[in-house]
């Protein structure tokens, strides 16, 4: 490669790791009015209300399920609180044919796709109706029908997979993209670097969506990266990159709509970095008061993404406080009712212990299942009586 | 039938896979125009285009991550890791992702259309970063299939079966035999069933079990044993996971003795698993302890390779010791 004359120097010139200042797209102010001169995304009342409905459901789900975890009804939970705009705003820019590969905090995207309240509960209570057959911890959702790849616990593994999936979509002639969510902590994993480089070099229509929420469990961003966030890495890999206010529903929607257009038209990946804040704990096993102040949290509550979007809806005349109260009330009842049903359903049948390891059950697993069954028959009181029954 | 070496047989299997399945894609480091470090992918890019046979950046983790996504999408993904010694950066993607994709999702998603090809093994003066046999790390992982061919005919039939199998397969290719092993191979398509061992030679005094490049050494030792009146039954395991317990157990019940030989270090090696299973299945038929002739528990050396290897002389001595026990 040869340099343009203006880039040739004859003494050492260092480029600072902070030299690249990535602009941040902001459309809505905290009071719900657009910034003067801001361009709104492609949005009508129907879409706006579906987005808001999803955000409200997710907040209610998170509050109720965190409480359910505290009551010992489920073993584990992770909330999306504070990041609803980043997740719903991006999911709403996609077509239903697009694949979503989530990290684990993106229940709002799955809800937007049409996952029912009952389906959420069946997964969390790992009962016989769980699509995942009770094999993963709560919140590891997945649905083939909804093009939502089953969540995996190891951090960042979905990032190079998104490149491969998108490559396959392109070869199959689909006008579809793969959107891959991850946090700024996962961007430290090797998979992130491998995945972005592969996608850039192999021209994959993938959208890499980084939720920069301030903390990777208890590690703040100051100890996670030294540069200007995650966005400059996209530039470094030769990827179209945009930074967006992650608490601004309209800005996230606008950025993702444009990212999708580029990915589909040009078969190129895009990196979006959404600047947000994890208002909740990392998980139900974590206590953020041990590593961050109440003042810090209070400051971010003023930027509540759900409230900000509601103020915009009210100003549009598309929503009212009465409707709002009714919606929260409806979802609280719906979630509670679904919990009560899901927790009484039996566990998956014992046969499912050995299915899906391979496409068919090999002989050695048939044998191991039979040994397990024979053993259980000797101790019928020790093994849950409701397991193994079909619903 | 044509005379082919092992590389040509592997190339032929991929050629057929790509000709019969438009979604089949071959990729890895240098596999495009160059044809791969050993030329296993020669001419595939010329025939099928850059979109279907291409170089990737140097990232094993990325190659297998990409392959998982591509296979989950429904394409046939054939990924090459240039040497099995370099598969470890991809370990997480293989054991936590490929192997568990179907199980963890309740069969909502799978990567059954994934095959990972990688050259393994010693005897090529490659030192420890070009000679390892890491199969045992993967035989411990439910959800993967592990396949190792012993000659060109087997390589083509087993690779085509692996590519078309609806489960992720790690296919270890004995690089010592790439050009050294030549034989009759049909030019058209055929497959060899996975998880079926083959009785290569029948005998009555002892069962010798191995796979891949080790088979050649086992056969050499068996000839030496025959010269002194010991009749060896020889079995190629072919697939290490899930493995064919019945064929091995049946043979050991007949001969009363078992010797397992592999290149990898003995401790934690797959021979240990076989020995444990066969002593359980055949305990009352055994006339001597199950013998293991394997690599030493050291990293693979460069200069003293001959002494380190589980060669035909060590196998021969172990056969005699077992029969005379």
């Amino acid at each position: 490669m040869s340099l343009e004359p203006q880039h040739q120097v004859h003494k050492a010139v260092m480029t600072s790791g902070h030299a690249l200042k990535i602009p941040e797209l902001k459309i809505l102010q905290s009071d719900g009015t657009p910034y003067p001169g801001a361009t709104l995304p492609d949005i009508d009342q129907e879409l706006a209300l579906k987005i808001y409905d999803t955000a409200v459901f997710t907040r209610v789900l998170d509050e109720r399920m965190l409480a359910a975890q505290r009551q010992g009804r489920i073993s584990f939970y992770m909330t999306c609180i504070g990041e609803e705009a980043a997740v719903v705003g991006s999911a709403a820019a996609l077509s239903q044919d697009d694949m979503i590969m989530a990290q684990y905090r993106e229940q709002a995207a799955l809800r937007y796709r049409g996952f029912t309240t009952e389906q959420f509960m069946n997964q969390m209570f790992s009962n016989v109706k769980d699509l995942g057959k009770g094999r993963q911890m709560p919140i590891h959702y997945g649905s083939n029908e909804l093009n939502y790849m089953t969540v995996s616990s190891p951090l960042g593994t979905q990032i190079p997979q998104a490149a491969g999936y998108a490559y396959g979509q392109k070869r199959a002639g689909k006008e579809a993209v793969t959107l891959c969510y991850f946090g700024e902590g996962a961007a430290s994993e090797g998979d992130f670097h491998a995945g972005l480089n592969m996608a850039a070099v192999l021209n994959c229509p993938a959208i890499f969506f980084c939720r920069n929420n301030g903390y990777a469990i208890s590690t703040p961003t100051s100890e996670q990266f030294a540069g200007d966030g995650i966005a400059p890495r996209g530039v470094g890999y030769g990827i179209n990159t945009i930074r967006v206010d992650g608490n601004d529903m309209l800005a996230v929607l606008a950025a993702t709509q444009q990212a999708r257009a580029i990915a589909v038209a040009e078969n190129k990946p895009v990196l979006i970095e959404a600047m947000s804040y994890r208002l909740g704990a990392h998980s139900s096993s974590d206590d953020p008061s041990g590593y961050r102040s109440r003042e810090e949290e209070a400051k971010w509550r003023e930027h509540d993404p759900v409230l900000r979007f509601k103020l915009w809806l009210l100003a549009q005349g598309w929503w009212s406080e009465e409707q709002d109260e009714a919606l929260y009330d409806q979802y609280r009842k719906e979630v509670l009712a679904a919990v009560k049903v899901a927790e009484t359903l039996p566990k998956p049948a014992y046969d499912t212990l050995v299915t899906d390891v391979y496409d068919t059950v090999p002989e050695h697993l048939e044998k191991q299942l039979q040994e397990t069954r024979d053993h259980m028959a000797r101790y019928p009181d020790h093994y849950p009586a409701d397991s193994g029954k079909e619903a | 039938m044509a005379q082919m070496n092992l590389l040509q047989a592997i190339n032929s299997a991929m050629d057929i896979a790509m000709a019969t399945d438009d979604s089949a894609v071959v990729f890895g480091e240098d596999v495009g125009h160059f044809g791969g470090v050993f030329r296993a992918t020669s001419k595939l890019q010329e025939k099928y285009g850059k979109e279907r046979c291409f170089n990737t950046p140097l990232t094993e983790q990325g190659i297998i991550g990409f392959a998982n996504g591509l296979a989950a999408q429904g394409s046939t993904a054939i990924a090459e890791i240039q040497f099995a010694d370099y598969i470890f950066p991809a370990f997480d993607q293989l054991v936590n992702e490929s192997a568990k994709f179907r199980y963890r999702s309740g069969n909502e998603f799978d990567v059954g259309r994934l095959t990972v090809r990688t050259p393994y093994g010693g005897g090529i003066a490659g030192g420890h970063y070009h000679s390892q046999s890491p199969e045992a790390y993967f035989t411990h992982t439910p959800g993967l299939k592990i396949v190792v061919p012993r000659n060109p005919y087997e390589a083509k039939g087993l690779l085509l079966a692996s590519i078309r199998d609806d489960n992720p397969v790690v296919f270890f290719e004995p690089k010592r035999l790439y050009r050294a092993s030549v034989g009759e191979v049909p030019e058209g398509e055929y497959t060899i069933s996975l998880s079926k061992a083959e009785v290569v030679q029948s005998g009555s005094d002892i069962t010798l079990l191995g796979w891949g490049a080790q088979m050649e050494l086992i056969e050499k030792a068996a000839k030496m044993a025959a010269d002194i009146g010991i009749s060896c039954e020889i079995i190629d395991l072919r697939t290490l996971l899930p493995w064919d317990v019945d064929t091995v157990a049946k043979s050991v019940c007949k001969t009363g003795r078992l010797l397992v030989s592999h290149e990898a270090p003995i401790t934690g090696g797959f021979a240990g698993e076989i020995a444990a299973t066969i002593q359980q299945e055949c305990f009352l038929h055994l006339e001597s302890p199950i013998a293991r002739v394997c690599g030493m528990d050291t990293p693979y050396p460069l200069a003293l390779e001959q002494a380190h290897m589980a060669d035909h002389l060590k196998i021969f001595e172990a056969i005699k010791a077992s029969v005379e026990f």
Side-chain angles (χ1 to χ4, degrees):
Chain A
M1 268 187 289
S2 61
L3 288 173
E4 298 295 322
Q6 68 268 28
H7 292 130
Q8 294 176 11
V9 295
H10 305 292
K11 62 177 181 178
V13 176
M14 296 292 169
T15 302
S16 159
H18 293 266
L20 194 60
K21 289 290 178 198
I22 307 273
E24 183 172 326
L25 176 67
K26 288 171 173 285
I27 293 176
L28 270 188
Q29 304 180 87
S30 288
D31 64 0
T33 60
Y35 285 95
T39 307
L40 295 190
D42 184 10
I43 187 168
D44 59 13
Q45 184 175 355
E46 190 189 354
L47 177 61
L49 291 182
K50 184 177 175 187
I51 288 172
Y52 187 67
D53 182 276
T54 305
V56 169
F57 171 83
T58 307
R59 190 152 285 196
V60 169
L61 179 78
D62 284 352
E63 286 168 2
R64 293 286 143 168
M65 297 322 294
L66 199 57
Q69 192 279 334
R70 298 289 182 243
Q71 293 162 356
R73 293 161 100 168
I74 56 172
S75 59
F76 181 78
Y77 195 75
M78 290 178 123
T79 76
C80 182
I81 295 171
E83 299 177 69
E84 292 92 342
V87 179
V88 193
S90 49
L94 302 179
S95 106
Q96 197 80 359
D97 285 343
D98 295 337
M99 173 53 71
I100 292 179
M101 293 193 180
Q103 180 86 66
Y104 41 54
R105 202 185 290 291
E106 295 92 355
Q107 45 269 39
L110 184 56
R111 176 65 175 191
Y112 188 86
R113 283 275 162 110
F115 212 56
T116 67
T117 310
E118 290 70 28
Q119 286 177 311
F120 277 103
M121 294 310 148
N122 293 335
Q123 197 283 330
M124 281 185 273
F125 285 91
S126 40
N127 64 33
V128 70
K129 288 187 172 174
D130 169 20
L131 293 176
K133 301 180 188 165
R135 288 164 182 166
Q136 292 209 76
M137 287 168 75
I139 66 103
H140 289 65
Y141 314 109
S143 165
N144 190 301
E145 188 192 349
L146 299 177
N147 281 324
Y148 194 93
M149 183 67 72
T150 302
V151 170
S152 158
S153 293
L155 205 57
T157 50
Q158 76 280 18
I159 301 172
Q161 290 169 13
Y165 201 98
Y167 191 86
Q169 288 172 314
K170 177 178 79 169
R171 281 216 64 234
K174 292 187 176 173
E175 286 203 355
V177 304
T178 300
L179 185 138
C180 176
Y181 291 107
F182 53 92
E184 86 284 353
S188 297
E189 294 283 1
D191 278 311
F192 169 84
H193 303 280
L196 264 69
N197 196 34
M198 294 279 283
V201 170
L202 298 170
N203 300 314
C204 305
I207 300 172
F208 297 102
F209 194 100
C210 177
R211 297 177 291 94
N212 189 335
N213 68 7
Y215 286 91
I217 312 184
S218 72
T219 299
T221 54
S222 60
E223 294 169 35
Q224 191 66 237
F225 50 77
D228 175 32
I230 306 306
R233 298 180 191 175
V235 178
Y237 284 116
I239 291 177
N240 285 302
T241 299
I242 183 168
R243 175 174 282 156
V244 61
D245 178 350
N247 284 15
D248 177 345
M249 194 72 83
L250 294 181
V252 175
L253 181 66
T256 316
Q257 283 174 343
Q258 288 185 40
R260 188 178 186 281
I262 291 170
V264 168
E266 301 176 33
N267 280 319
K268 280 183 181 167
V270 178
L271 172 65
I272 299 174
E273 183 181 23
M275 309 307 289
S276 185
Y277 187 81
R278 196 187 74 210
L279 278 175
H282 164 69
S283 78
S284 55
S285 310
D286 171 45
D287 174 14
S289 70
Y291 52 84
R292 69 187 191 196
S293 68
R294 280 185 183 283
E295 292 73 39
E296 182 184 297
E297 274 186 63
K299 185 181 74 104
W300 277 94
R301 285 199 188 273
E302 292 169 17
H303 302 289
D304 185 328
V306 181
L307 176 63
R308 193 189 304 183
F309 191 58
K310 184 178 92 169
L311 292 173
W312 182 71
L313 289 178
L314 294 175
Q316 297 294 109
W318 290 349
W319 195 242
S320 70
E321 290 291 358
E322 295 72 37
Q323 285 173 300
D324 205 56
E325 269 180 44
L327 186 65
Y328 273 95
D329 193 47
Q330 176 203 325
Y331 277 143
R332 283 180 186 128
K333 285 179 180 149
E334 187 177 312
V335 168
L336 271 183
V339 165
K340 283 183 181 157
V341 174
E343 65 186 353
T344 61
L345 289 175
K347 298 296 173 202
Y350 280 119
D351 285 1
T352 62
L353 274 170
V354 298
T355 57
D356 308 326
V357 182
Y358 296 96
D359 60 331
T360 54
V361 181
E363 215 170 298
H364 70 292
L365 289 181
E366 290 278 16
K367 197 175 161 194
Q368 288 172 21
L369 178 66
Q370 192 52 51
E371 286 166 4
T372 306
R373 282 190 178 285
D374 292 347
H375 171 78
M376 291 192 304
R378 282 192 287 276
Y379 297 92
D381 297 339
H382 187 73
Y383 299 94
D386 67 345
S387 292
K389 284 184 195 164
E390 295 298 337
Chain B
M1 292 253 238
Q3 285 281 316
M4 288 189 200
N5 67 28
L6 205 144
L7 277 169
Q8 289 163 333
I10 282 165
N11 182 268
S12 173
M14 281 189 279
D15 192 354
I16 289 170
M18 294 179 89
T20 52
D21 171 6
D22 181 58
S23 84
V25 175
V26 170
F27 52 95
E29 296 161 6
D30 301 333
V31 308
H33 176 68
F34 185 62
V37 62
F38 293 101
R39 305 291 188 275
T41 56
S42 288
K43 310 275 183 210
L44 294 178
Q45 189 178 71
E46 264 175 52
K47 265 179 114 162
Y48 301 102
K50 282 186 176 175
E51 193 184 281
R52 296 187 61 195
C53 177
F54 53 86
N55 294 336
T56 65
L58 302 187
T59 166
E60 290 77 14
Q61 178 176 27
I63 291 167
I64 302 302
F66 181 93
N68 278 329
L70 187 63
Q73 181 272 331
S75 296
T76 297
I78 307 169
E80 176 176 306
I81 298 295
Q82 203 164 79
F83 284 88
D85 309 73
Y86 304 127
I87 206 166
F88 298 105
F91 197 66
D92 185 46
Q93 283 289 345
L94 280 166
V95 306
N96 269 328
E97 301 293 315
S98 315
K100 298 174 175 72
F101 230 92
R102 190 193 300 271
Y103 189 77
R104 75 176 178 213
S105 71
N107 205 25
E108 288 286 298
F109 298 96
D110 69 77
V111 295
R113 309 309 302 255
L114 166 64
T115 304
V116 181
R117 296 176 36 247
T118 188
Y120 85 97
I124 55 141
H128 48 233
Y129 293 125
H130 295 85
S131 302
Q132 293 174 68
S133 299
E135 69 275 358
Y137 294 99
F138 300 100
T139 56
H140 194 55
T141 305
L144 295 179
K145 289 193 175 182
I146 311 300
V147 179
V148 196
R150 73 173 186 276
N151 64 29
Y153 178 85
E154 293 278 311
K156 181 171 173 181
L158 287 169
L159 180 56
L160 206 47
S162 297
I163 292 168
R164 289 177 178 170
D165 190 83
D166 204 14
N167 297 283
V169 177
V170 184
F171 192 84
F172 287 102
E173 299 171 359
K175 68 170 103 60
R176 184 165 65 78
L177 303 185
Y178 265 157
R179 294 189 179 85
S181 179
V182 179
E184 293 279 307
V185 178
E187 283 174 54
E189 66 166 273
Y190 65 94
T191 55
I192 296 173
S193 299
L194 303 187
S195 291
K196 291 279 175 232
E198 185 190 12
V199 179
V200 177
Q201 174 186 306
S202 66
S204 54
D205 296 331
I206 183 169
T207 301
L208 309 182
L209 177 66
W211 50 87
Q214 204 63 13
M215 293 309 296
E216 197 184 42
L217 303 176
I218 288 172
E219 287 177 278
K220 214 166 162 183
K223 282 201 181 80
M224 293 174 73
D227 289 344
I228 58 165
I230 300 173
S231 164
C232 299
E233 180 141 307
I234 302 175
I235 299 179
D236 177 5
L237 194 57
R238 290 171 163 166
T239 301
L240 276 63
L241 185 71
W243 66 287
D244 184 354
V245 178
D246 286 350
T247 296
V248 180
K250 203 174 143 197
S251 170
V252 175
C253 287
K254 182 179 82 173
T255 63
R257 296 180 181 87
L258 175 65
L259 181 154
V260 189
S261 182
H262 60 60
E263 285 189 38
I266 189 165
T267 301
F270 198 61
E273 175 59 37
I274 293 168
T277 303
I278 294 302
Q279 71 87 18
Q280 189 178 351
E281 295 289 318
C282 311
F283 185 69
L284 295 176
H285 296 85
L286 286 173
E287 292 176 32
S288 65
I290 295 169
R292 291 182 291 163
V293 183
C294 307
M296 290 170 71
D297 287 334
T298 69
Y300 203 100
L302 180 63
L304 304 174
E305 194 172 20
Q306 189 73 38
H308 178 273
M309 282 184 72
D311 67 2
H312 62 290
L313 293 177
K314 291 179 188 172
I315 298 168
F316 175 58
E317 285 303 315
I319 291 170
K320 285 193 292 181
S322 184
V323 171
E324 289 161 11
F325 180 79

